[in-house]
Amino acid sequence: MSLNTFGHLFRVTTWGESHGPALGATVDGCPPGIEVDAEAIQVWLDRRKPGQNKYTTQRREADEVEILSGVFEGQTTGTPIQLMIRNTDQRSKDYGEIAEKFRPGHADITYWQKYGIRDYRGGGRSSARETAARVAAGGVARAALSALAPQMKVTAYMVQMGERGIDRSRFDLDEVGRNPFWVPDAAAAEDWAGYLDALRKEGNSVGAMIELAVSGAPAGLGAPIYGKIDTDLAAAMMSINAVKGVEIGEGMAAAALKGDENADEITMGPDGPVFHSNHSGGVLGGISTGQDIVLRFAVKPTSSILTPRRTITKDGADAEIVTKGRHDPCVGIRAVPVAEAMAACVMLDHLLLNRGQVGEGLRGRIGPA
Amino acid sequence: MSLNTFGHLFRVTTWGESHGPALGATVDGCPPGIEVDAEAIQVWLDRRKPGQNKYTTQRREADEVEILSGVFEGQTTGTPIQLMIRNTDQRSKDYGEIAEKFRPGHADITYWQKYGIRDYRGGGRSSARETAARVAAGGVARAALSALAPQMKVTAYMVQMGERGIDRSRFDLDEVGRNPFWVPDAAAAEDWAGYLDALRKEGNSVGAMIELAVSGAPAGLGAPIYGKIDTDLAAAMMSINAVKGVEIGEGMAAAALKGDENADEITMGPDGPVFHSNHSGGVLGGISTGQDIVLRFAVKPTSSILTPRRTITKDGADAEIVTKGRHDPCVGIRAVPVAEAMAACVMLDHLLLNRGQVGEGLRGRIGPA
Amino acid sequence: MSLNTFGHLFRVTTWGESHGPALGATVDGCPPGIEVDAEAIQVWLDRRKPGQNKYTTQRREADEVEILSGVFEGQTTGTPIQLMIRNTDQRSKDYGEIAEKFRPGHADITYWQKYGIRDYRGGGRSSARETAARVAAGGVARAALSALAPQMKVTAYMVQMGERGIDRSRFDLDEVGRNPFWVPDAAAAEDWAGYLDALRKEGNSVGAMIELAVSGAPAGLGAPIYGKIDTDLAAAMMSINAVKGVEIGEGMAAAALKGDENADEITMGPDGPVFHSNHSGGVLGGISTGQDIVLRFAVKPTSSILTPRRTITKDGADAEIVTKGRHDPCVGIRAVPVAEAMAACVMLDHLLLNRGQVGEGLRGRIGPA
Amino acid sequence: MSLNTFGHLFRVTTWGESHGPALGATVDGCPPGIEVDAEAIQVWLDRRKPGQNKYTTQRREADEVEILSGVFEGQTTGTPIQLMIRNTDQRSKDYGEIAEKFRPGHADITYWQKYGIRDYRGGGRSSARETAARVAAGGVARAALSALAPQMKVTAYMVQMGERGIDRSRFDLDEVGRNPFWVPDAAAAEDWAGYLDALRKEGNSVGAMIELAVSGAPAGLGAPIYGKIDTDLAAAMMSINAVKGVEIGEGMAAAALKGDENADEITMGPDGPVFHSNHSGGVLGGISTGQDIVLRFAVKPTSSILTPRRTITKDGADAEIVTKGRHDPCVGIRAVPVAEAMAACVMLDHLLLNRGQVGEGLRGRIGPA
């Protein structure tokens, strides 16, 4: 059995399988009076939608979200919001072989071992399709953030795909929406296109690194010790399919640093403290500093590839598997909007938590009275 | 305010400040009938205890744990177990300056901004001292694991300190307990000693990388989607003071891999599935495969250093700070037993969750009936 | 905002408004391998369905449940089960007046004050219609109980309606399904019919008392201190619309008893302890004794009546209200299947909790080895 | 195993056994900046303390609370507050017989059956002594309420003891603190004294009914559907030892009422809505109306009595038991301060929840702009 809910006060429960009748998110704890409708949520779902270019799975789903509850006359009412997306393109025949054989590197085998039953069609619950529900919930979170913390911006983008990276000197957030890779570097986008094309043609797949930045977050968000803002963001990212690592600020590189290299010096500015670097990634002791929160996470290459791999069947026979069907050569691409959605949920959650447990705004003003 | 509890069924709430009267852990959800006493828990606390060699803070605490409830005649009763450690060495005078100035890279400033009040003595709640409570709780978790899953072993060790690494060809777990760095490489231990000595003398500090391995865990542990075993382990590590990144299996390196390089092939063995590599780190889809679970996390260098750094005071005046007092040159050293304790708690928690929600043992046997 | 989930391991989140597109329940934590389908759940929904006789609201809803996830080939998979019921008979025009005026004794005014927005149509979220979702979830719980604890029976029935009671000497559970009042006394059923008819004709409503009995529950269920089985059952009943009190065993009458009257004496029988009375209602210290668990709860009369009552409008003007539309003269009737559903969920939840936290079966056998 | 925490945002975990080294409460989620110290909490503990007159157990405990964490310079810091009370008067020899025999009507037998081990000394975890920890936590909640909602008053008092009631025409809250029964009727206090004396001398015990009133609570508290304010208060009362029923407003009597008798009419007053009666007990749809919240609960007579009763031993032998030792003839007396403490915790919890999830204050103002 399972724990399909995340969040403390803003709680999202996702449900649904890749090839069942529908999937969705039950969102509980959204404040009342937030303006939101299906169109506003659809915008975000459309960003994630597969089949938009040759670099994502050719499965074509309308991915149309329906709001079944919790919104009245265009505003949230404070009651649970049910977001449903019908599964329309369920070509189950594609998945005949995986009913019997476990894909190496896939959750097929562990779901079977744990539950003794699995909806093998399209990966069932372990399919990346589940993330559509997260994006829908993220749409609600964004609407609430727009109202409660309009200055906050949550943006994710790819910074590495396989062996290819970006050139930080060309970094331009405006580029992110202009290429199929959500990469903030126009030249990299071009280069990556050729690189992924070649991989796709050979039926292979590749990993990716995504960076997520939250700007405009107030200082004071995060609930030590076990609801730290960075812990919760890290857990949110780790819960996304295929994510194998997450780091904040200097991240894994912090292991190699010395104390005098790592400290972010502070001076007093007209509007409050000014940090002179951001090694911390915007979080100290699990609480936001008011700087940009910056984290990165790594997505492994999809396990559904055309290269034959050794595996076993449900009955314990040795076998070989080649995963045909419509799969993403770089599943990291679609992880970008998912990461944004998860982060929006976490940030809203902590905004509400802070309000409930500490009160509105910063309590500890720095500077003369 | 705060969220100071972790775990689903095996729930640990830590409490206490560095220089308050005591700190401890309230452990709820331990099964009844587990043999445990203060001595058994003390063993683990002694591993973490500061002041044992020149590489950890010279603060000397007896760190003696007292069991105040939940254990009767040497066995757990199924009621909450209260573990208390008195603070005995509270040299508050050491901390005079930090009452007024915020240490760069430390939670001093964010606690102040969030709460408007902070127990500045020794870092208060954000002190690494809080982790003693985790280690005590981990002692209970280990006792329960010994009874319920005796084959499971949870081991952490350092694999990097600043610019120094280990040589995997000399990897020897038996070395871990023989040197002050918990490093599984005798030659590295010697090398690191000189390296850290130099840093300590210049009043600097350094980061570290720790690896954690869980062997003997059964397949089937982990509760998708938001209670995945790797998510919960990652969150546990990220909640440890100064941790900036965590990765499982190939981790961050997965971003550079191709699908055919990353798949762990499977064949059928006499006792069940045999995996031919462990790129996944023992987890697929958030559920354990039965292989070793392997993760790494990075600890940043302590912010308490002798190098003067720019900062501000509570009143908003620019200032300079030099942190005297007794601080760890490499706080990562003490993170090793803490990581083990956290992992023991997570593993026990998921063992109990599985039992409750799926039933005893694996449900999906692989192979002919 | 809101907390729309109940249960510890078997967690049910209900969602939906009376006149929105749909309502339903997100069920998380059901063990895998349980046989269940829409037909099995529909049986329970049909028992609650309004419009079946003249004593319940004439609103006619098909109340057809659709399983959107979590069930594969007729078995639960251990993933979330989404149960949706479309609202088909939304005659919103009936509710014109209550958009402006608050019904005395109804949640209209408090939802408005709390949230500043409310879906007034049919009472929105506070409508008894929400309980359809609970009954659907209860259907899943019953299916799981059938598999895991087949001897357990959960039965509710009315024992009082307004000024009319039952004669315990004629008590016959077989009668419960044969009359529109779920009353275990054929003569009372006849008497109540005339009584309620008269009330209905005068546009009045009446309260009710319902008794719930769980037989066949094993000893040892219940998690002291704050997850006691009686606390959880009481909370489940109190959460049902219009419930104003709940009691277990001797209940409120225990206040008048002496210690020697209240003790349930115990002797040893061939199969274990035998209790010679059941003043406790089957629960001691929050843990089941193995006897029948017996509780009662009181439902107030519906506030939607034809008698004119003083009230105010949203704009603060004094007004008078007469609630036309289709309302239940005794809403307690429909509370019977709802109580059963809630109790089934609670019993399953504690069965799973016990399994996870204590282990299968009783740990403390009584008697010679 | 167990669930020893209550509350959503203001979370209290009680721990400890009657005759262990200590017991206490871990309080998490108290807002920062609240003035509180041991003396302020001690006031409430002293009200509950046994041995103060001949009507409560003659066990004499200092019941001195020690604050181990979370308070700095007289103010809460937003970190967990650990409240410890040492057990000083552990005359374990009194309890020799109950190590072997189960008291009828007591949790002795169910703890044994569930856990297979129990701390039989003084009832262990199921002792009413556990409620001292609740009272301590309630002291913190009261301090926070004083700061955040100074107009709110939480008061409990006895309205029935066995066959004796009160005369509501003599109702005087000022009397409550002047007699050993917390009864708001001076004449009743005198009468009850003789009544209980007689019962005490014959070694018998008696039940009680307690009323709890919360005045000054703002409208809008309560989180439908499963965190209703009345549900949470009812669960809090039901969790108190020996409580067998709870009712709000008209309570169990609502079953006999008609709709036109039960509606609380509303007119508009200068400061907002005015309710002309309070059948609802101050709660509609699980949300407070702004009226007094009024509930009652019944406490059964203690099972520890001198009358010989049949029982069995751990080994399954039939036996007879007479419970000597120091027991309360009417355990309901000590339930009065416990109920107040629990209610204070619930009210604070919902105040914080509302703040987090809805925002400060009422959202839906009634009346012209």
Side-chain angles (χ1 to χ4, degrees):
Chain A
M1 210 294 321
S2 39
L3 288 164
N4 293 279
T5 302
F6 68 91
H8 306 286
L9 283 188
F10 183 78
R11 293 174 68 74
V12 175
T13 307
T14 64
W15 53 272
E17 278 79 38
S18 177
H19 283 56
L23 50 78
T26 309
V27 178
D28 197 11
C30 185
I34 303 297
E35 291 189 22
V36 73
D37 56 18
E39 287 67 40
I41 297 171
Q42 194 65 45
V43 169
W44 303 108
L45 273 168
D46 288 348
R47 292 186 69 199
R48 179 202 159 278
K49 201 164 62 176
Q52 304 195 104
N53 56 57
K54 61 186 170 184
Y55 306 110
T56 53
T57 171
Q58 292 309 298
R59 172 172 176 161
R60 285 179 205 284
E61 296 273 7
D63 271 5
E64 260 178 47
V65 68
E66 193 181 348
I67 301 180
L68 298 181
S69 66
V71 175
F72 182 60
E73 299 181 342
Q75 290 192 21
T76 59
T77 59
T79 63
I81 302 169
Q82 185 57 261
L83 305 169
M84 181 178 68
I85 301 163
R86 288 275 178 191
N87 288 320
T88 51
D89 180 23
Q90 304 162 26
R91 281 201 282 164
S92 295
K93 59 186 175 302
D94 278 354
Y95 294 97
E97 191 175 31
I98 63 171
E100 293 304 317
K101 298 178 186 171
F102 305 114
R103 283 166 289 178
H106 196 279
D108 293 340
I109 189 167
T110 51
Y111 269 70
W112 175 257
Q113 288 184 300
K114 182 181 186 80
Y115 299 117
I117 179 175
R118 73 189 170 102
D119 181 347
Y120 48 77
R121 300 168 304 164
R125 180 78 180 140
S126 72
S127 166
R129 184 140 182 73
E130 180 268 341
T131 59
R134 308 190 192 204
V135 172
V140 175
R142 293 219 199 220
L145 285 175
S146 291
L148 303 177
Q151 75 295 350
M152 207 188 293
K153 299 277 171 257
V154 176
T155 318
Y157 40 86
M158 280 181 70
V159 292
Q160 184 187 340
M161 186 171 64
E163 291 135 338
R164 307 301 167 96
I166 63 165
D167 181 339
R168 292 263 172 185
S169 73
R170 290 190 304 252
F171 190 97
D172 179 2
L173 275 181
D174 290 339
E175 280 301 322
V176 170
R178 295 191 194 123
N179 63 69
F181 306 110
W182 313 109
V183 59
D185 171 350
E190 212 164 318
D191 171 49
W192 293 14
Y195 175 72
L196 193 58
D197 242 5
L199 279 164
R200 190 174 56 81
K201 278 172 191 156
E202 72 184 64
N204 213 337
S205 63
V206 74
M209 182 86 74
I210 289 139
E211 188 165 285
L212 177 101
V214 181
S215 62
L221 298 184
I225 303 291
Y226 306 110
K228 289 176 170 174
I229 190 82
D230 46 353
T231 304
D232 278 6
L233 284 167
M237 299 307 130
M238 284 297 289
S239 78
I240 300 174
N241 311 46
V243 172
K244 300 304 287 183
V246 61
E247 60 179 18
I248 188 150
E250 288 291 341
M252 303 309 276
L257 290 178
K258 292 183 192 150
D260 54 357
E261 296 162 347
N262 189 57
D264 299 313
E265 291 187 299
I266 318 171
T267 57
M268 193 65 191
D271 305 321
V274 175
F275 293 87
H276 291 266
S277 53
N278 193 5
H279 298 287
S280 76
V283 182
L284 289 173
I287 304 171
S288 62
T289 62
Q291 295 173 276
D292 285 2
I293 299 175
V294 184
L295 60 81
R296 278 168 304 283
F297 62 94
V299 182
K300 72 176 183 183
T302 335
S303 51
S304 302
I305 50 174
L306 286 178
T307 318
R309 305 270 77 189
R310 284 183 295 166
T311 190
I312 57 174
T313 68
K314 246 171 46 176
D315 303 319
D318 284 326
E320 204 177 66
I321 192 163
V322 170
T323 315
K324 299 198 191 80
R326 302 152 300 165
H327 297 290
D328 289 4
C330 178
V331 77
I333 298 174
R334 283 204 285 148
V336 172
V338 178
E340 289 183 352
M342 296 299 285
C345 291
V346 171
M347 297 312 296
L348 174 62
D349 191 26
H350 275 277
L351 204 71
L352 300 179
L353 260 182
N354 224 39
R355 211 162 72 160
Q357 303 198 303
V358 176
E360 298 275 0
L362 286 185
R363 290 180 66 100
R365 223 181 64 80
I366 295 173
Chain B
M1 207 293 324
S2 39
L3 289 163
N4 293 279
T5 302
F6 68 92
H8 306 287
L9 283 187
F10 182 79
R11 290 173 69 74
V12 175
T13 306
T14 65
W15 53 270
E17 277 79 37
S18 177
H19 283 56
L23 51 79
T26 310
V27 179
D28 197 11
C30 185
I34 303 296
E35 291 189 21
V36 72
D37 56 18
E39 287 68 39
I41 296 171
Q42 195 64 46
V43 170
W44 303 108
L45 273 168
D46 288 347
R47 293 186 67 198
R48 179 202 160 279
K49 202 165 63 177
Q52 302 195 104
N53 57 56
K54 60 186 170 184
Y55 307 111
T56 54
T57 170
Q58 291 309 298
R59 173 172 176 159
R60 285 178 206 284
E61 296 272 7
D63 271 3
E64 260 177 49
V65 68
E66 192 181 348
I67 301 179
L68 297 182
S69 67
V71 176
F72 183 60
E73 298 181 345
Q75 289 191 22
T76 59
T77 59
T79 64
I81 302 169
Q82 184 58 259
L83 306 169
M84 181 180 66
I85 301 162
R86 288 274 178 193
N87 288 321
T88 52
D89 181 22
Q90 304 162 25
R91 281 201 282 166
S92 295
K93 60 185 175 303
D94 278 355
Y95 295 97
E97 192 176 29
I98 63 172
E100 293 303 318
K101 297 179 187 170
F102 306 115
R103 283 166 287 178
H106 196 278
D108 294 339
I109 190 168
T110 50
Y111 268 70
W112 175 256
Q113 289 184 299
K114 182 182 186 82
Y115 298 117
I117 179 173
R118 71 190 172 102
D119 182 347
Y120 49 77
R121 301 168 303 166
R125 180 76 181 141
S126 72
S127 166
R129 184 140 182 72
E130 180 267 344
T131 60
R134 307 188 193 205
V135 172
V140 175
R142 293 218 200 221
L145 284 175
S146 291
L148 303 176
Q151 76 294 350
M152 206 188 294
K153 300 279 170 254
V154 175
T155 317
Y157 40 86
M158 279 181 71
V159 293
Q160 184 187 341
M161 185 171 64
E163 291 135 339
R164 307 301 168 95
I166 63 165
D167 181 339
R168 293 261 172 185
S169 73
R170 288 192 303 252
F171 190 96
D172 179 3
L173 274 181
D174 290 340
E175 281 302 322
V176 170
R178 294 191 195 123
N179 62 70
F181 307 110
W182 314 108
V183 60
D185 170 350
E190 210 163 318
D191 171 49
W192 293 13
Y195 176 71
L196 194 57
D197 243 4
L199 278 165
R200 191 175 55 82
K201 278 172 192 157
E202 71 184 65
N204 213 338
S205 63
V206 74
M209 182 86 74
I210 290 139
E211 188 165 284
L212 177 100
V214 181
S215 63
L221 297 185
I225 301 292
Y226 305 110
K228 289 175 170 175
I229 189 82
D230 46 353
T231 303
D232 278 6
L233 284 167
M237 299 306 131
M238 284 296 290
S239 77
I240 300 174
N241 311 45
V243 173
K244 299 304 286 183
V246 61
E247 59 178 19
I248 189 150
E250 289 291 341
M252 303 310 277
L257 291 178
K258 291 181 192 154
D260 55 357
E261 296 163 348
N262 189 57
D264 300 313
E265 291 187 299
I266 319 169
T267 57
M268 193 65 190
D271 306 320
V274 175
F275 293 87
H276 289 268
S277 53
N278 193 5
H279 299 287
S280 78
V283 181
L284 288 173
I287 304 171
S288 63
T289 62
Q291 294 173 277
D292 285 2
I293 297 175
V294 184
L295 60 82
R296 279 168 304 284
F297 62 93
V299 182
K300 71 175 183 183
T302 333
S303 51
S304 303
I305 51 174
L306 286 178
T307 318
R309 306 270 78 189
R310 284 183 295 165
T311 189
I312 57 175
T313 68
K314 244 171 48 178
D315 304 318
D318 284 324
E320 204 179 64
I321 192 163
V322 170
T323 315
K324 299 199 191 81
R326 303 152 298 165
H327 298 289
D328 290 4
C330 178
V331 77
I333 298 174
R334 284 203 284 148
V336 172
V338 178
E340 288 183 351
M342 294 300 285
C345 291
V346 171
M347 297 311 296
L348 174 62
D349 191 26
H350 276 277
L351 205 70
L352 300 179
L353 260 183
N354 223 39
R355 212 162 73 161
Q357 302 200 302
V358 177
E360 297 276 359
L362 286 185
R363 291 179 65 100
R365 223 181 63 80
I366 295 172
Chain C
M1 206 291 323
S2 39
L3 289 163
N4 294 279
T5 302
F6 67 92
H8 306 287
L9 283 188
F10 182 79
R11 290 173 69 74
V12 175
T13 306
T14 64
W15 53 271
E17 278 78 38
S18 177
H19 284 56
L23 51 78
T26 309
V27 178
D28 196 12
C30 185
I34 303 296
E35 292 188 23
V36 73
D37 57 18
E39 286 67 40
I41 296 171
Q42 196 62 47
V43 169
W44 303 108
L45 273 168
D46 287 347
R47 293 188 68 200
R48 180 202 159 279
K49 200 165 65 177
Q52 304 195 102
N53 57 55
K54 62 186 170 185
Y55 306 111
T56 54
T57 171
Q58 291 310 298
R59 173 171 175 160
R60 284 177 206 285
E61 296 272 6
D63 270 6
E64 260 177 48
V65 68
E66 193 181 348
I67 301 180
L68 297 181
S69 67
V71 176
F72 183 59
E73 299 182 342
Q75 289 192 22
T76 59
T77 58
T79 64
I81 302 169
Q82 184 57 260
L83 305 169
M84 181 179 67
I85 300 163
R86 288 274 179 192
N87 287 321
T88 51
D89 180 23
Q90 304 162 26
R91 281 200 284 166
S92 295
K93 59 186 175 303
D94 279 354
Y95 294 97
E97 191 176 28
I98 62 172
E100 293 304 317
K101 297 179 186 170
F102 305 114
R103 282 166 290 179
H106 196 279
D108 293 339
I109 190 167
T110 50
Y111 269 69
W112 174 257
Q113 289 185 299
K114 183 182 185 80
Y115 298 117
I117 179 174
R118 72 190 171 102
D119 182 348
Y120 50 77
R121 299 169 304 166
R125 180 76 180 143
S126 72
S127 166
R129 186 143 179 71
E130 179 268 343
T131 59
R134 308 189 192 204
V135 172
V140 174
R142 293 218 199 221
L145 284 175
S146 290
L148 302 177
Q151 76 294 349
M152 207 188 293
K153 300 279 170 256
V154 175
T155 318
Y157 40 86
M158 280 179 72
V159 292
Q160 185 188 339
M161 185 171 65
E163 290 135 340
R164 307 302 167 93
I166 63 164
D167 181 340
R168 292 264 172 184
S169 72
R170 289 191 303 252
F171 190 97
D172 178 3
L173 275 182
D174 290 340
E175 281 301 322
V176 170
R178 294 191 195 124
N179 61 70
F181 307 110
W182 312 109
V183 58
D185 171 350
E190 211 164 319
D191 171 49
W192 293 14
Y195 176 72
L196 193 59
D197 241 5
L199 279 165
R200 191 175 55 82
K201 278 172 191 159
E202 70 184 65
N204 213 337
S205 63
V206 74
M209 182 86 73
I210 289 139
E211 188 165 285
L212 177 101
V214 181
S215 64
L221 297 186
I225 302 290
Y226 306 110
K228 290 176 170 174
I229 189 83
D230 45 354
T231 303
D232 278 6
L233 284 167
M237 299 307 130
M238 284 296 291
S239 78
I240 301 174
N241 311 45
V243 172
K244 299 304 286 183
V246 62
E247 59 179 19
I248 189 151
E250 288 292 340
M252 303 310 276
L257 290 178
K258 292 182 192 152
D260 54 357
E261 296 163 348
N262 189 57
D264 299 313
E265 291 188 299
I266 319 170
T267 57
M268 193 65 191
D271 306 320
V274 175
F275 293 88
H276 290 266
S277 53
N278 193 5
H279 299 288
S280 77
V283 182
L284 289 173
I287 304 171
S288 63
T289 62
Q291 295 174 275
D292 284 2
I293 298 175
V294 184
L295 60 81
R296 277 168 304 284
F297 62 93
V299 182
K300 72 175 183 184
T302 335
S303 52
S304 301
I305 52 174
L306 287 178
T307 318
R309 305 269 77 188
R310 283 183 296 166
T311 190
I312 56 174
T313 68
K314 247 171 47 177
D315 304 318
D318 284 324
E320 204 178 66
I321 193 164
V322 170
T323 315
K324 300 198 189 81
R326 302 153 300 167
H327 297 290
D328 290 5
C330 178
V331 78
I333 298 174
R334 284 203 283 148
V336 172
V338 178
E340 288 183 352
M342 295 299 286
C345 291
V346 171
M347 297 311 296
L348 174 62
D349 191 26
H350 276 277
L351 204 71
L352 301 179
L353 261 183
N354 223 38
R355 211 161 74 160
Q357 303 198 304
V358 177
E360 298 275 359
L362 286 186
R363 291 181 65 100
R365 223 180 63 81
I366 295 173
Chain D
M1 206 295 320
S2 39
L3 288 163
N4 293 280
T5 302
F6 69 91
H8 307 286
L9 283 188
F10 182 79
R11 292 173 68 74
V12 175
T13 307
T14 65
W15 53 271
E17 278 79 38
S18 177
H19 283 57
L23 51 79
T26 310
V27 178
D28 196 10
C30 185
I34 303 296
E35 291 188 23
V36 73
D37 57 19
E39 287 66 40
I41 297 171
Q42 195 63 47
V43 170
W44 302 109
L45 273 167
D46 288 347
R47 293 187 67 199
R48 179 202 159 278
K49 201 165 63 177
Q52 303 195 102
N53 57 55
K54 61 187 171 185
Y55 307 111
T56 54
T57 171
Q58 292 309 298
R59 173 172 177 160
R60 284 178 206 284
E61 298 272 6
D63 270 4
E64 260 178 48
V65 68
E66 193 181 347
I67 301 179
L68 298 181
S69 67
V71 176
F72 182 60
E73 299 181 343
Q75 289 192 21
T76 59
T77 58
T79 64
I81 302 168
Q82 185 57 260
L83 306 169
M84 181 179 68
I85 301 163
R86 288 273 179 194
N87 288 321
T88 51
D89 181 22
Q90 304 162 25
R91 281 201 283 166
S92 294
K93 60 185 175 301
D94 278 355
Y95 295 96
E97 192 176 29
I98 63 171
E100 293 304 318
K101 297 178 187 171
F102 306 114
R103 283 166 289 178
H106 197 278
D108 293 340
I109 190 168
T110 51
Y111 269 70
W112 175 256
Q113 289 184 299
K114 182 181 185 82
Y115 298 117
I117 180 175
R118 70 189 172 103
D119 182 348
Y120 49 77
R121 301 168 304 165
R125 180 76 180 142
S126 72
S127 166
R129 186 143 180 69
E130 179 267 343
T131 60
R134 307 188 192 205
V135 172
V140 175
R142 292 217 199 222
L145 284 175
S146 290
L148 303 177
Q151 77 294 350
M152 207 189 292
K153 300 279 169 257
V154 175
T155 318
Y157 40 86
M158 278 180 73
V159 292
Q160 184 187 342
M161 185 172 63
E163 291 136 338
R164 307 301 167 96
I166 63 165
D167 180 340
R168 291 262 173 185
S169 72
R170 289 190 303 251
F171 190 97
D172 178 3
L173 274 181
D174 290 339
E175 280 301 322
V176 170
R178 295 191 194 124
N179 63 69
F181 306 110
W182 313 109
V183 60
D185 171 351
E190 210 163 319
D191 171 49
W192 294 14
Y195 176 71
L196 193 59
D197 242 4
L199 279 165
R200 190 175 55 82
K201 277 171 193 159
E202 70 184 66
N204 211 338
S205 63
V206 73
M209 182 86 73
I210 289 139
E211 189 164 284
L212 177 101
V214 182
S215 63
L221 298 185
I225 302 292
Y226 305 110
K228 289 175 170 175
I229 190 80
D230 46 353
T231 303
D232 278 6
L233 284 167
M237 299 307 130
M238 284 296 290
S239 78
I240 300 174
N241 311 46
V243 173
K244 300 303 285 183
V246 61
E247 59 179 19
I248 189 150
E250 288 291 340
M252 303 310 276
L257 291 178
K258 292 180 192 154
D260 54 357
E261 296 162 349
N262 189 57
D264 299 313
E265 290 188 299
I266 319 170
T267 56
M268 193 66 190
D271 306 321
V274 176
F275 292 87
H276 290 267
S277 54
N278 193 4
H279 299 288
S280 77
V283 182
L284 289 173
I287 304 171
S288 63
T289 61
Q291 294 173 275
D292 285 2
I293 299 175
V294 183
L295 61 80
R296 280 168 303 283
F297 62 93
V299 182
K300 72 175 182 183
T302 334
S303 52
S304 302
I305 52 174
L306 287 177
T307 318
R309 305 268 77 189
R310 285 182 296 165
T311 189
I312 57 175
T313 69
K314 245 171 47 177
D315 304 319
D318 284 324
E320 204 179 65
I321 192 162
V322 170
T323 315
K324 299 198 191 80
R326 303 153 299 166
H327 298 289
D328 290 4
C330 177
V331 79
I333 298 173
R334 283 203 284 148
V336 172
V338 178
E340 288 183 352
M342 296 299 286
C345 291
V346 171
M347 296 312 296
L348 175 62
D349 191 25
H350 276 277
L351 206 70
L352 301 179
L353 260 183
N354 224 38
R355 212 162 71 161
Q357 303 198 304
V358 177
E360 297 277 358
L362 286 186
R363 290 179 66 100
R365 223 181 63 80
I366 295 173

